[in-house]
Amino acid sequence: MSLTAKDKDTVRAFWTKVSGKSAEIGSDALSRMLVVYPQTKTYFSHWKDLSPGSEPVKKHGKSVMGGVADAVTKIDDLNAGLLTLSELHAFTLRVDPANFKILSHNILVVMAIMYPKDFTPEVHVAMDKFLAALSRALAEKYR
Amino acid sequence: MVEWTDFERATIQDIFSKMDYEVVGPAALSRCLIVYPWTQRYFGNFGNLYNAAAIMGNPMVAKHGTTILNSLERGVKKMDNIKETYAELSKLHSEKLRVDPDNFKLLSDCLTIVVAAQLGKAFTGEVQAAFQKFMAVVVSSLGRQYY
């Protein structure tokens, strides 16, 4: 299920539209994930405040979307492009890769909320495929 | 038996009472067929599903989307016995339709996204949690009669 040229164009075009709000997207997606999938809170026991929109959540949401933005620029070779991040997640963070799917779903929900007219089925499938490819690249170094 | 909080009950009733099934149903089903194209395998007799535009304009898809939402309403009305409500439909999907139960989750995810787009900011994290919990219970009941 690799990204076609059309998928990449769609992702780049949609990202251009939404990148200005990427910090807000990240914060909302992460907040949602912690509420809707409480098991994900286990990775953040070192934060003093896990409530939606809290300082650590906002800061981390911004970081995560920074990674997504970077991945958009490296969309032609995500494995190479995300090598360092993959090593970080594999050896240091050791986040179970099932959680990438969970966060991806919440990113898509936030995009649907913030951009109901632009998040058409065609954009949805391209973004879903992109986030899945990104997740695979992030899991590349796990074993 | 599934325990529902007052908030969860009220949220589910509220979402569905305000929903236009003839808009949301077709939107969710067509999104599922577009985003997860392998789900088209179950709709061989639906005619033209060749591309997104064809799917979104297909009257059989629209009709079936509405049917699905009407069926979800049965669960909304019987939140304390969803398992029994969908026992017959579970047998149908397993024995006659032979739908891989993983597909129920895919449709459920698409429905969540359509509802999110409709409700906008009102679809808070708590509302999303309630909605996804309801859908998870329905999906689980639909998968129960498989063997």
Side-chain angles (χ1 to χ4, degrees):
Chain A
M1 289 200 266
S2 51
L3 297 167
T4 63
K6 180 165 174 247
D7 290 328
K8 293 180 191 178
D9 286 341
T10 305
V11 169
R12 281 188 279 245
F14 186 66
W15 186 255
T16 305
K17 209 171 278 186
V18 314
S19 59
K21 295 231 172 117
S22 71
E24 197 186 322
I25 294 172
S27 169
D28 194 1
L30 205 61
S31 301
R32 259 165 217 281
M33 184 187 82
L34 296 166
V35 166
V36 181
Y37 302 89
Q39 70 272 21
T40 58
K41 292 196 286 190
T42 55
Y43 290 99
F44 304 103
S45 50
H46 56 287
W47 287 354
K48 46 179 143 27
D49 188 355
L50 284 159
S51 57
S54 70
E55 274 315 302
V57 170
K58 276 194 350 223
K59 183 163 176 259
H60 195 60
K62 191 171 176 203
S63 287
V64 168
M65 292 315 279
V68 172
D70 190 42
V72 174
T73 68
K74 296 174 175 165
I75 202 169
D76 288 317
D77 191 350
L78 287 169
N79 278 350
L82 297 178
L83 184 68
T84 317
L85 270 176
S86 181
E87 287 176 343
L88 175 75
H89 284 74
F91 306 131
T92 311
L93 302 175
R94 288 179 289 196
V95 175
D96 191 311
N99 295 285
F100 301 152
K101 215 164 185 249
I102 290 176
L103 182 56
S104 297
H105 169 71
N106 285 293
I107 290 172
L108 295 176
V109 167
V110 172
M111 286 177 167
I113 289 173
M114 288 175 66
Y115 302 95
K117 295 258 164 351
D118 297 299
F119 196 66
T120 61
E122 288 97 326
V123 168
H124 179 168
V125 62
M127 283 306 302
D128 191 42
K129 284 177 75 175
F130 168 65
L131 290 173
L134 200 168
S135 301
R136 279 197 300 276
L138 222 49
E140 183 60 25
K141 291 287 166 195
Y142 271 61
R143 57 178 176 172
Chain B
M1 206 185 83
V2 182
E3 299 279 339
W4 301 100
T5 64
D6 290 340
F7 173 81
E8 287 165 347
R9 279 182 201 277
T11 298
I12 297 304
Q13 299 302 321
D14 188 54
I15 292 178
F16 279 83
S17 69
K18 296 187 172 134
M19 200 189 285
D20 185 347
Y21 296 173
E22 289 183 6
V23 168
V24 172
L29 183 59
S30 41
R31 203 167 269 257
C32 186
L33 296 170
I34 293 166
V35 178
Y36 308 108
W38 54 94
T39 57
Q40 292 169 26
R41 78 190 299 282
Y42 303 109
F43 301 100
N45 62 331
F46 270 34
N48 186 2
L49 299 178
Y50 190 60
N51 54 37
I55 290 170
M56 292 194 286
N58 185 312
M60 289 182 81
V61 170
K63 182 161 179 268
H64 195 62
T66 309
T67 300
I68 292 173
L69 259 300
N70 278 310
S71 184
L72 278 175
E73 190 185 66
R74 288 167 47 201
V76 174
K77 292 193 162 128
K78 279 226 158 161
M79 279 176 76
D80 289 316
N81 206 344
I82 291 179
K83 206 162 63 180
E84 204 187 86
T85 303
Y86 291 113
E88 275 304 308
L89 270 176
S90 180
K91 266 182 73 179
L92 176 78
H93 283 76
S94 149
E95 290 176 17
K96 186 154 171 268
L97 305 175
R98 315 261 168 95
V99 177
D100 180 342
D102 282 350
N103 289 274
F104 303 147
K105 180 157 195 301
L106 299 180
L107 179 58
S108 173
D109 283 350
C110 286
L111 181 60
T112 301
I113 280 173
V114 169
V115 169
Q118 290 249 317
L119 297 183
K121 292 262 171 239
F123 198 67
T124 62
E126 286 81 13
V127 169
Q128 182 182 344
F131 187 78
Q132 291 196 198
K133 180 177 166 178
F134 172 73
M135 289 308 298
V137 174
V138 171
V139 162
S140 165
S141 314
L142 227 45
R144 282 201 105 242
Q145 302 298 327
Y146 280 67
Y147 62 91

